[in-house]
Amino acid sequence: MPVVSIMPSGKTIEMPAGTRLVDAILAAGDSIAQKCAGKGECDSCHIFVHEGRKSISKIQRKENEQLDSIVGVGSKSRLACQAILGEENVMVELLGFASGL
């Protein structure tokens, strides 16, 4: 099973492939905002994926449209509620607003 490493907390958790990143983050004990209850309709769970991006599910149209409306989006940006864990280890960074800081 792949390992999800979460920054800046440094927490890690092993989760099965097919798990949403938001669920892995919560299972590791980190908090992450979810204003739309995981429907991909807001930007509250915007994260950066630093490692393992190619293993995560491809960005679908709905997520891409939402990311287009966010300031500070880059090539590492994903919505944690829409990104599905693949077979490789992943390192994600919770941004200030995503972690509720």
Side-chain angles (χ1 to χ4, degrees):
M1 279 195 288
V3 173
V4 178
S5 301
I6 306 162
M7 305 315 274
S9 70
K11 294 179 181 176
T12 61
I13 189 164
E14 193 173 26
M15 296 296 285
T19 302
R20 295 182 316 155
L21 282 179
V22 71
D23 295 328
I25 292 164
L26 293 171
D30 262 318
S31 62
I32 185 165
Q34 299 181 77
K35 293 180 184 175
C36 70
K39 296 177 186 172
E41 297 173 349
C42 71
D43 61 0
S44 63
C45 68
H46 175 219
I47 60 170
F48 288 151
V49 179
H50 291 289
E51 294 177 10
R53 286 190 310 256
K54 291 184 180 182
S55 177
I56 294 174
S57 61
K58 294 191 181 293
I59 294 178
Q60 300 299 308
R61 188 175 125 199
K62 182 178 183 178
E63 179 183 4
N64 195 48
E65 288 173 356
Q66 189 60 41
L67 286 171
D68 282 345
S69 70
I70 302 171
V71 175
V73 169
S75 62
K76 297 178 182 181
S77 291
R78 290 299 303 261
L79 297 179
C81 71
Q82 300 297 300
I84 308 296
L85 189 59
E87 297 293 333
E88 294 178 21
N89 294 343
V90 174
M91 179 186 291
V92 300
E93 178 183 359
L94 301 183
L95 307 173
F97 51 87
S99 63
L101 297 175

